[in-house]
Amino acid sequence: MSDEILVKAVDVSKTFGDFKALDNVNLEVRKGEVCCIIGPSGSGKSTFLRCINLLERIDSGAIWANGELIGYRREGDKLYEMNDAQIARQRRGIGMVFQRFNLFPHKTALENVTEGPVHVLGETPKAAREHALALLASVGLAEKAGNYPAELSGGQQQRVAIARALGMRPSLILFDEPTSALDPELVSEVLDVMNDLAASGMTMIVVTHEMGFARNVSNNTAFMDGGKLIEHGPSARILSQPDNPRTADFIRAVRRS
């Protein structure tokens, strides 16, 4: 892990009608770091990820990723919202893995992985295919390249989704509860792939309820509740001796469940 800050959020707020989903969230994630975000349902974790990847626009504050201010361009002393093409360019460096896989059902595993590199990055079909096959092999699915999503288990679909995110050659991958839709016996195969990614130096922000993964793999853990980032620090400390009583209550509740 380097000292370079890859993601920085400053006073980020977001509302939906009268509901304040994010309330002055501040967070820094360094290059090569794995940061887990934990907290109860509705605490703003997924919304925060979606704001980093410009799937939601923030109402106030600022987010930087890969050295760029996300969603805005600066001209002199003024900021202007980026257009769709500029936003798409920023998204290229940020992969995202969702709860429900979001694979194209009419495309094979191989085609799901090559789609972005060919049509967004402009890679040749041959180069994209070679890279995709290598990525599918890296997540243990070399023999499933020709299968459609409906022919794969949930764990296999999620591993294809991870390979698809890697196919865009991102510097950062966001994981939004990647194991929550899986049967318990399939969770470990996805976490093993994520563990390997962490070991390779990939920068990852992971919204998760998997406390074992947070404790054993992540460098830092952030606890969110009510749209606020309550506590953030080294995972070993946060998950064993948190400073905030609300963090401690949540961790005890998760351990009992």
Side-chain angles (χ1 to χ4, degrees):
M1 186 174 63
S2 76
D3 291 331
E4 179 186 348
I5 295 173
L6 199 68
V7 178
K8 182 174 183 176
V10 178
D11 295 335
V12 171
S13 294
K14 173 70 179 178
T15 58
F16 297 100
D18 294 330
F19 176 66
K20 194 150 197 176
L22 298 174
D23 188 359
N24 290 313
V25 173
N26 292 274
L27 182 70
E28 292 183 353
V29 178
R30 285 171 170 74
K31 185 176 181 180
E33 179 181 339
V34 178
C35 176
C36 281
I37 303 178
I38 63 173
S41 298
S43 59
K45 309 181 300 295
S46 295
T47 298
F48 181 58
L49 283 197
R50 292 173 66 84
C51 289
I52 296 173
N53 206 29
L54 283 166
L55 296 175
E56 299 284 356
R57 283 193 178 273
I58 63 177
D59 296 326
S60 61
I63 299 174
W64 287 265
N66 298 318
E68 295 187 66
L69 180 63
I70 293 295
Y72 295 89
R73 57 185 173 83
R74 184 183 296 276
E75 292 185 8
D77 295 330
K78 293 185 177 180
L79 293 177
Y80 298 89
E81 285 192 357
M82 288 183 170
N83 59 35
D84 290 345
Q86 292 167 326
I87 287 172
R89 180 191 60 77
Q90 284 193 326
R91 280 199 190 117
R92 293 177 192 175
I94 306 173
M96 189 154 185
V97 177
F98 299 88
Q99 297 178 38
R100 294 286 177 179
F101 326 135
N102 288 11
L103 299 176
F104 296 115
H106 61 291
K107 293 183 179 293
T108 65
L110 180 63
E111 290 167 340
N112 266 280
V113 180
T114 59
E115 182 79 6
V118 170
H119 295 288
V120 178
L121 299 183
E123 292 185 11
T124 65
K126 182 176 183 295
R129 175 184 170 84
E130 290 175 355
H131 188 217
L133 287 171
L135 289 173
L136 288 171
S138 74
V139 299
L141 292 174
E143 77 286 359
K144 300 292 186 180
N147 288 69
Y148 291 89
E151 299 172 321
L152 303 173
S153 70
Q156 290 170 336
Q157 289 184 61
Q158 194 62 293
R159 285 186 280 156
V160 173
I162 293 172
R164 179 181 60 183
L166 290 168
M168 295 296 288
R169 305 178 190 273
S171 56
L172 164 71
I173 300 185
L174 312 175
F175 292 84
D176 187 6
E177 300 195 35
T179 61
S180 65
L182 301 178
D183 291 333
E185 65 268 23
L186 301 178
V187 168
S188 62
E189 65 188 53
V190 174
L191 292 180
D192 286 345
V193 170
M194 294 171 64
N195 199 343
D196 290 343
L197 273 182
S200 75
M202 174 60 70
T203 308
M204 301 157 61
I205 303 178
V206 185
V207 170
T208 186
H209 290 294
E210 300 291 340
M211 295 297 111
F213 177 85
R215 182 179 299 104
N216 298 325
V217 179
S218 68
N219 307 95
N220 288 292
T221 293
F223 172 69
M224 291 185 68
D225 190 28
K228 294 179 180 290
L229 199 154
I230 305 297
E231 189 169 2
H232 176 230
S235 296
R237 181 185 67 77
I238 294 290
L239 297 171
S240 60
Q241 293 180 313
D243 293 331
N244 192 285
R246 179 67 187 97
T247 311
D249 288 345
F250 174 79
I251 292 171
R252 278 195 296 270
V254 170
R255 285 174 179 164
R256 287 196 300 266
S257 62

